[in-house]
Amino acid sequence: KQEVTQIPAALSVPEGENLVLNCSFTDSAIYNLQWFRQDPGKGLTSLLLIQSSQREQTSGRLNASLDKSSGRSTLYIAASQPGDSATYLCAPVGSGTYKYIFGTGTRLKVLA
Amino acid sequence: EAGVTQSPTHLIKTRGQQATLRCSPISGHTSVYWYQQALGLGLQFLLWYDEGEERNRGNFPPRFSGRQFPNYSSELNVNALELEDSALYLCASNGGILVETQYFGPGTRLLVL
């Protein structure tokens, strides 16, 4: 059974800092892995998707890496801004099941 | 292009009642996924429908059920509501098996009193 852990659970930083959010998963048989953000009480917004054959993906100030064999993914946020404040979720998609297993998230607060 | 839509946005029920939640996928998407996000808990997979059939089910009791209609919209039914069913229910859609990214709707917040 896939278990997903995200560290840290919460993070509060001043604006402008570079951040690293960690995600680990127990079953490396994944089809892909996706990072989402969730604003309070809202749905999910997709940030980055990494295929199982890829090592990393970049979009603007965001970079996500994937080490499937060790069951780890990292989301790097450069030059953080108050608008980045949200909960960040990682979700590996299981090969054969095609369903997301979500981590408990990292709650980020960027202070102006 | 319209995104995934869900209705109602909020729903208040009492224990023992039934709740029906609705989801309309993005046009052209054939797969619909349902997730539950209870307060203080992570998002948990509930159900996956594709081409009108249930493809996968999470670890939830049978009183959670649903269906997918010919136009690919979907309904989630929760019978015999319990207090712990209070949660945000999210629906997502994509183009089917092996298609990447699921696109999420804004959710239905269910409160059971």
Side-chain angles (χ1 to χ4, degrees):
Chain A
K1 179 190 167 190
Q2 180 74 279
E3 293 182 6
V4 183
T5 303
Q6 289 188 244
I7 294 173
L11 189 58
S12 184
V13 300
E15 182 177 6
E17 282 206 0
N18 299 323
L19 308 172
V20 177
L21 309 183
N22 296 294
C23 170
S24 61
F25 47 95
T26 55
D27 185 353
S28 62
I30 63 171
Y31 178 60
N32 61 42
L33 183 143
Q34 197 154 356
W35 282 91
F36 294 88
R37 70 173 276 169
Q38 185 177 28
D39 294 287
K42 302 288 179 64
L44 272 62
T45 302
S46 176
L47 296 174
L48 289 164
L49 181 145
I50 313 175
Q51 296 290 355
S52 61
S53 58
Q54 296 177 319
R55 299 286 292 182
E56 66 178 279
Q57 280 285 342
T58 298
S59 176
R61 296 182 293 107
L62 304 179
N63 174 276
S65 66
L66 174 64
D67 184 344
K68 200 175 80 159
S69 60
S70 68
R72 294 179 190 276
S73 179
T74 299
L75 179 67
Y76 178 79
I77 303 175
S80 58
Q81 303 171 356
D84 295 331
S85 299
T87 295
Y88 289 80
L89 297 160
C90 85
V93 176
S95 290
T97 65
Y98 308 109
K99 66 184 181 188
Y100 288 121
I101 302 296
F102 285 90
T104 49
T106 293
R107 195 168 59 253
L108 172 65
K109 187 168 186 177
V110 181
L111 305 169
Chain B
E1 179 185 286
V4 177
T5 59
Q6 293 186 244
S7 63
T9 55
H10 292 81
L11 190 57
I12 300 175
K13 294 285 186 179
T14 56
R15 205 167 39 176
Q17 286 188 315
Q18 180 201 40
T20 298
L21 289 62
R22 296 179 178 82
C23 171
S24 291
I26 291 172
S27 177
H29 284 186
T30 61
S31 271
V32 170
Y33 306 77
W34 288 95
Y35 296 86
Q36 182 198 63
Q37 187 174 36
L39 192 64
L41 299 177
L43 269 160
Q44 296 187 67
F45 167 76
L46 255 169
L47 289 161
W48 169 28
Y49 292 95
D50 182 69
E51 296 281 1
E53 293 190 15
E54 183 179 303
R55 301 288 185 175
N56 208 333
R57 182 182 181 87
N59 189 25
F60 282 83
R63 55 192 189 80
F64 286 84
S65 65
R67 53 180 172 165
Q68 186 178 33
F69 299 99
N71 66 355
Y72 303 117
S73 66
S74 177
E75 218 171 64
L76 174 68
N77 294 294
V78 188
N79 294 319
L81 284 165
E82 300 179 2
L83 296 179
E84 53 264 34
D85 296 334
S86 296
L88 179 67
Y89 289 84
L90 292 172
C91 167
S93 75
N94 69 8
I97 295 173
L98 298 184
V99 177
E100 303 158 2
T101 305
Q102 294 177 18
Y103 295 87
F104 282 79
T108 292
R109 189 164 292 282
L110 172 65
L111 177 61
V112 182
L113 302 175

